[in-house]
Amino acid sequence: RLYYEPKSVVYHMGQASFKEKFGAAKMAELAHRNTFLFMWKNFSGPQFWIPHLFFLPLRLLLALLKGNIAFVKGFISAVKVQRAL
């Protein structure tokens, strides 16, 4: 059975269960991975790909220099997912 209560209020706590299960570092990696996958799937044309491919190595290098390993791991994970498709 399904019941509907029009006065009910639902609060969504985004990523609450993931954070508890995976921790902050893995959450950041998953967020970066998902951002890459979203962009690669939904953006097209040279106006996206030329700057993306030009700046991506620079962004990866900068992330490494800043110690943002989650960004690099997210990128690697996205590449793996993309190759598996």
Side-chain angles (χ1 to χ4, degrees), residues 19-54:
K19 191 172 188 178
E20 183 179 310
K21 182 172 182 173
F22 297 114
K26 186 67 173 178
M27 287 274 304
E29 178 185 332
L30 291 171
H32 289 300
R33 181 201 69 183
N34 292 345
T35 299
F36 279 115
L37 292 172
F38 177 85
M39 289 189 310
W40 296 343
K41 178 181 180 231
N42 294 297
F43 298 149
S44 62
Q47 68 274 15
F48 167 72
W49 284 105
I50 291 172
H52 180 67
L53 293 175
F54 178 80

Side-chain angles (χ1 to χ4, degrees), residues 11-24 27:
Y11 296 96
H12 173 69
M13 302 206 35
Q15 305 175 351
S17 60
F18 280 106
K19 191 172 188 178
E20 183 179 310
K21 182 172 182 173
F22 297 114
M27 287 274 304

Side-chain angles (χ1 to χ4, degrees), residues 51-71:
H52 180 67
L53 293 175
F54 178 80
F55 287 109
L56 185 58
L58 300 173
R59 291 186 66 202
L60 289 167
L61 179 61
L62 185 61
L64 283 173
L65 293 173
K66 288 184 170 185
N68 186 357
I69 303 303
F71 183 81

